[in-house]
Amino acid sequence: MIDLYYWTTPNGHKITIFLEEAKLRYAVKPINISSGDQFAPAFLAISPNNRIPAIVDHDPPGGGAPIPIFESGAILLYLAGKTGKFYPDDLRGRVDVMQWLFWQMGGLGPMAGQTHHFLHYAPEKIEYAINRYVGETSRLYAVLDKRLADREYVAGDYSIADMACYPWTVSHTRQNQNLEDFQNLRRWFDSIRARPAVVRAYEKGKAVNSQPVVDDEAKKFLFGQTAATVRR
């Protein structure tokens, strides 16, 4: 059994997609990041960066004590290694998947996240910041679109690279991106969205948090953190 510490964010959806695709047994432990659950000492013991998702695998390969893991990319790599699924066996294939996983972790996710922030949550509309992040998100969409011009999935076969990238494109309209401008990405997006495991993953998310709310109180938990938050 795997305990999944989860909320309905793109990074959270990555893990439910893998777990549903691999048909692993798991229990969802909701961490409401809009009400401060991520600062509870018990959660920080698993995820010291106070971010979801995190997991605890109570049946790790080789046995022994449960293994806690935080960071969505690390979790995907761990689960792929545990199951032998959605990650190639050969070195070159693994490098291909890994570099696109890291591309998402270091590029698409952070840039799209800043786009969401400055478009929808910042207390004032800062034109430079909006143009900067919307433009960079658009550039990354174009990189992904070009990559998909001659292949069905990001790294050939369906893999954890697709699971990592897809959730960050679900909110394309909130990022001021039009998928009709990226036809290869559009085809890929529609293909992933139709997968039964992906449908199940997002339905599970609705059961946890059907009406996301980001009010002024939630913003204090989501955006008001400093070094003092970690030290307290």
Side-chain angles (χ1 to χ4, degrees):
M1 173 66 77
I2 291 172
D3 290 336
L4 170 61
Y5 295 84
Y6 165 87
W7 200 241
T8 50
T9 70
N11 289 332
H13 292 313
K14 294 176 190 177
I15 311 307
T16 50
I17 289 173
F18 187 102
L19 294 168
E20 290 292 334
E21 291 279 13
K23 297 183 171 62
L24 292 175
R25 292 176 59 242
Y26 68 102
V28 172
K29 310 290 185 180
I31 300 294
N32 187 337
I33 60 175
S34 294
S35 61
D37 290 356
Q38 66 271 39
F39 301 113
F43 178 67
L44 289 173
I46 299 166
S47 181
N49 195 37
N50 62 265
R51 295 287 190 273
I52 63 93
I55 68 168
V56 175
D57 185 1
H58 294 276
D59 185 25
I67 296 179
I69 308 165
F70 71 101
E71 284 294 327
S72 60
I75 295 169
L76 287 174
L77 285 168
Y78 172 80
L79 293 174
K82 173 186 172 76
T83 62
K85 296 181 177 180
F86 310 113
Y87 195 44
D89 293 328
D90 64 290
L91 175 62
R92 293 179 187 276
R94 288 193 170 199
V95 168
D96 213 15
V97 170
M98 187 164 49
Q99 64 189 357
W100 284 98
L101 172 64
F102 280 47
W103 175 84
Q104 182 281 309
M105 296 292 297
L108 180 61
M111 294 301 104
Q114 293 296 334
T115 297
H116 291 165
H117 181 80
F118 285 104
L119 276 173
H120 304 290
Y121 303 124
E124 57 183 294
K125 297 296 183 184
I126 303 172
E127 184 178 4
Y128 175 84
I130 290 172
N131 291 340
R132 157 74 176 142
Y133 289 113
V134 170
E136 180 62 7
T137 300
S138 178
R139 186 190 73 80
L140 292 164
Y141 271 50
V143 170
L144 186 55
D145 184 70
K146 188 174 183 179
R147 172 68 176 177
L148 291 163
D150 61 352
R151 68 199 73 217
E152 186 175 3
Y153 298 111
V154 174
D157 293 333
Y158 182 62
S159 73
I160 57 174
D162 301 285
M163 297 177 198
C165 293
Y166 171 77
W168 281 102
T169 63
V170 170
S171 297
H172 53 270
T173 56
R174 287 175 58 79
Q175 302 162 14
N176 283 7
Q177 306 300 321
N178 183 356
L179 291 192
E180 299 310 312
D181 296 333
F182 308 98
Q183 286 299 307
N184 302 314
L185 196 159
R186 167 99 254 180
R187 169 195 43 79
W188 168 86
F189 177 89
D190 290 340
S191 173
I192 303 265
R193 180 174 58 178
R195 294 179 67 88
V198 174
V199 173
R200 292 195 304 271
Y202 277 82
E203 286 300 316
K204 185 151 287 190
K206 291 178 183 177
V208 171
N209 180 30
S210 60
Q211 294 182 316
V213 174
V214 181
D215 55 20
D216 288 341
E217 187 65 21
K219 289 178 182 178
K220 295 177 184 178
F221 295 114
L222 295 171
F223 311 130
Q225 301 169 38
T226 66
T229 308
V230 178
R231 293 170 180 152
R232 67 185 178 190

